[in-house]
């Protein structure tokens, strides 16, 4: 793709997403669904303006910045680190539920259809990796991310993604090569990343903030924060965790410094994120949905129905086990539905490594398309239902008093 073609793709993506988002908003649906539909139209399914959705495509690389900024903003402006840490127990319970139940179901489906041990394990693991971006964007559009269920969902999604992605990265070591020593090395690198985060938070954040305060460079704070975001996003991806783990962590940590969470700085980040890069990120998600690859057979139907049902049950039951209000269980069920866009690349890699066959790739693509397109509307209705119920209960208690 030439530089001029890239300009055309970016321009068309922003204009298509603007028009379609406006249409969805007027229909009462989350506006960013229009960005996803714009990607479907511009991608291989229709216009083929975005014909290559591999990670080395310049447009996909630029769009990935939107993912980094989305999760950074969630940690930086929307969620308090102290509140997230205070919810560690329920977050862990829901996160483990979101891993164990889908994994068991995926493994059982693979075994039932005669897949080998490796493919069956892979099926279970790819069902346990959630598309947090869809849920975060939906809750942000409803101004409900900084709520109890919003914080629990974000934390639980991070937990099941860490476990799921580590499992996916470790699995080939047993079947392709490396064995126990490579597994220990992979786990050690992930642990080292979190240690580095702790060191940054405890010892480096305030000195860096003080240095930026003394800088004579215009927008030094903004440049410094973006630099940290990209470095930690790269680092988390390099140790086989999702880049969103690094972006979210940096956002949470930076927000604890009073000077670095100033309103003008927040405004700068918000403008560049939601004005350019985050819409491109969701256009790229839509472009990855090549509808021509979608086929149906008994395996794909069973995998789609049971896979999505297992994720819904994992969220619903996880909230109850964590002691959350029953009226929030529907929210958690729908929040754990969407499959990860990175999962497409993960399964494609599994096909290239001959760990899984192409029909597993097609099955995952079907689940991905259905879950991503349905979740925003379902989650919005579940949130509105729970909030209306809470409002009714509050009104009744006020009248009784």
């Amino acid at each position: 793709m030439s530089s001029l073609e890239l300009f055309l793709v970016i321009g068309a993506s922003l204009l298509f997403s603007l028009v379609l988002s406006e249409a969805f908003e007027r229909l009462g649906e989350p506006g960013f669904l229009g960005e996803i539909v714009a990607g479907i139209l511009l991608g291989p399914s229709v216009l083929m303006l975005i014909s290559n959705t591999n990670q080395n495509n310049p447009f996909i690389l630029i769009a990935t910045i939107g993912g980094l900024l989305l999760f950074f903003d969630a940690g930086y402006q929307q969620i308090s680190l102290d509140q997230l840490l205070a919810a560690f127990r329920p977050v862990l319970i829901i996160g483990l539920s979101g891993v164990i139940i889908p994994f068991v179901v995926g493994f059982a489906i693979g075994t039932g259809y005669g897949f080998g041990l490796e493919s069956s394990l892979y099926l279970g693991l790819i069902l346990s990796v959630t598309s947090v971006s869809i849920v975060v964007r939906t809750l942000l559009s409803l101004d409900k991310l900084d709520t109890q269920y919003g914080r629990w969902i974000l934390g639980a999604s991070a937990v099941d993604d860490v476990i799921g992605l580590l499992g996916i990265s470790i699995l080939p070591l047993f079947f392709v090569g490396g064995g126990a020593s490579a597994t220990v090395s992979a786990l050690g690198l992930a642990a080292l990343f979190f240690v580095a985060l702790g060191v940054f938070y405890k010892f480096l954040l305030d000195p860096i903030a003080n240095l930026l305060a003394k800088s004579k460079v215009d927008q030094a704070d903004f440049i410094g924060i973006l630099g940290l975001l990209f470095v930690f996003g790269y680092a988390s991806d390099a140790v086989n965790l999702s880049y969103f783990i690094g972006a979210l962590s940096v956002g949470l940590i930076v927000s604890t410094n009073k000077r670095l969470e100033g309103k003008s700085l927040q405004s700068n980040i918000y403008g560049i994120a939601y004005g350019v890069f985050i819409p491109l990120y969701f256009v790229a998600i839509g472009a990855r949905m090549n509808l021509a690859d979608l086929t149906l057979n008994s395996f794909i139907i069973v995998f789609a129905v049971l896979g999505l049902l297992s994720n819904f049950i994992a969220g619903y039951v996880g909230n109850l086990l964590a002691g959350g209000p029953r009226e929030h269980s529907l929210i958690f069920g729908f929040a754990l539905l969407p499959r990860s866009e990175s999962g497409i690349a993960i399964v494609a890699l599994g096909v290239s490594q001959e760990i899984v066959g192409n029909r597993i790739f097609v099955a995952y693509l079907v689940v991905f398309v259905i879950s991503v397109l349905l979740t925003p509307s379902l989650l919005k209705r579940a949130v509105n239902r729970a909030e209306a119920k809470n409002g009714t209960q509050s009104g009744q208690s006020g009248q009784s008093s």
Side-chain angles (χ1 to χ4, degrees), residues 22-370:
E22 180 71 21
F24 274 93
E25 287 284 357
R26 290 180 180 272
L27 290 171
E29 301 295 338
F32 75 91
L33 270 174
E35 297 163 5
I36 297 174
V37 173
I40 295 174
L41 294 176
L42 293 172
S45 300
V46 184
L47 299 177
M48 298 188 67
L49 191 60
I50 309 171
S51 57
N52 174 15
T53 57
N54 294 330
Q55 198 59 41
N56 58 356
N57 180 339
F59 173 76
I60 300 298
L61 286 171
I62 290 172
T64 302
I65 297 174
L68 282 169
L69 288 169
L70 175 65
F71 290 107
F72 174 81
D73 179 66
Y76 180 61
Q77 297 193 66
Q78 309 296 331
I79 300 291
S80 162
L81 179 60
D82 291 337
Q83 290 176 325
L84 193 60
L85 292 175
F88 178 78
R89 178 185 170 277
V91 159
L92 184 62
I93 291 172
I94 299 168
L96 290 175
S97 174
V99 171
I100 295 170
I101 295 176
F103 175 81
V104 171
V105 170
F107 182 81
I109 292 172
T111 303
Y113 274 87
F115 290 110
L117 175 63
E118 185 179 11
S119 294
S120 298
L121 289 171
Y122 210 85
L123 270 177
L125 287 170
I126 59 176
L127 276 181
S128 67
V129 181
T130 307
S131 178
V132 199
S133 60
I134 299 295
V135 178
V136 167
R137 190 76 188 275
T138 303
L139 292 177
L140 280 172
S141 70
L142 299 172
D143 197 25
K144 297 297 180 184
L145 186 59
D146 191 16
T147 57
Q148 183 204 62
Y149 55 82
R151 291 187 291 271
W152 285 17
I153 289 169
L154 185 60
S157 299
V159 169
D160 69 41
D161 271 20
V162 167
I163 296 173
L165 290 169
L166 276 176
I168 289 169
S169 64
I170 288 169
L171 185 62
L173 301 178
F174 285 104
F175 294 93
V176 178
S181 61
T183 302
V184 172
S185 175
L187 292 173
L189 284 172
L192 186 62
F193 171 77
F194 288 108
V195 170
L197 276 176
V199 170
F200 170 66
Y201 174 49
K202 195 73 175 176
F203 302 107
L204 299 178
L205 176 62
D206 290 339
I208 289 174
N210 292 335
L211 283 173
L212 291 173
K214 298 173 183 176
S215 175
K216 297 189 180 300
V217 175
D218 189 33
Q219 300 292 330
D221 290 342
F222 184 55
I223 296 170
I225 286 176
L226 287 183
L228 291 170
L229 169 61
F230 285 114
V231 168
F232 278 98
Y234 167 81
S236 61
D237 189 69
V239 299
N240 295 314
L241 299 174
S242 172
Y243 61 80
F244 99 79
I245 299 290
L248 175 64
S249 300
V250 169
L252 288 166
I253 291 171
V254 169
S255 69
T256 63
N257 184 278
K258 295 298 181 185
R259 202 184 64 78
L260 291 180
E261 63 166 359
K263 293 297 181 184
S264 61
L265 193 55
Q266 290 181 5
S267 177
N268 286 343
I269 293 171
Y270 189 89
I272 193 172
Y274 290 92
V276 181
F277 290 104
I278 290 176
L280 294 180
Y281 176 69
F282 283 93
V283 168
I285 289 177
R288 287 189 174 95
M289 299 182 189
N290 188 350
L291 304 184
D293 289 339
L294 301 185
T295 57
L296 291 179
N297 54 46
S298 64
F299 165 69
I300 291 174
I301 293 172
V302 169
F303 181 73
V305 172
L306 295 185
L308 292 174
L309 186 61
S310 71
N311 283 284
F312 176 83
I313 292 172
Y316 194 99
V317 173
N319 175 61
L320 296 178
L321 292 175
R326 181 174 292 274
E327 59 267 23
H328 290 172
S329 293
L330 206 59
I331 296 174
F332 282 90
F334 291 136
L336 265 62
L337 270 187
R339 297 303 83 208
S340 171
E341 59 276 6
S342 63
I344 297 175
I346 290 169
V347 180
L349 179 62
V351 172
S352 68
Q353 293 176 327
E354 298 183 351
I355 299 172
V356 294
N358 193 61
R359 67 172 174 158
I360 290 180
F361 175 81
V362 175
Y364 184 85
L365 186 62
V366 169
V367 173
F368 171 74
V369 171
I370 293 172

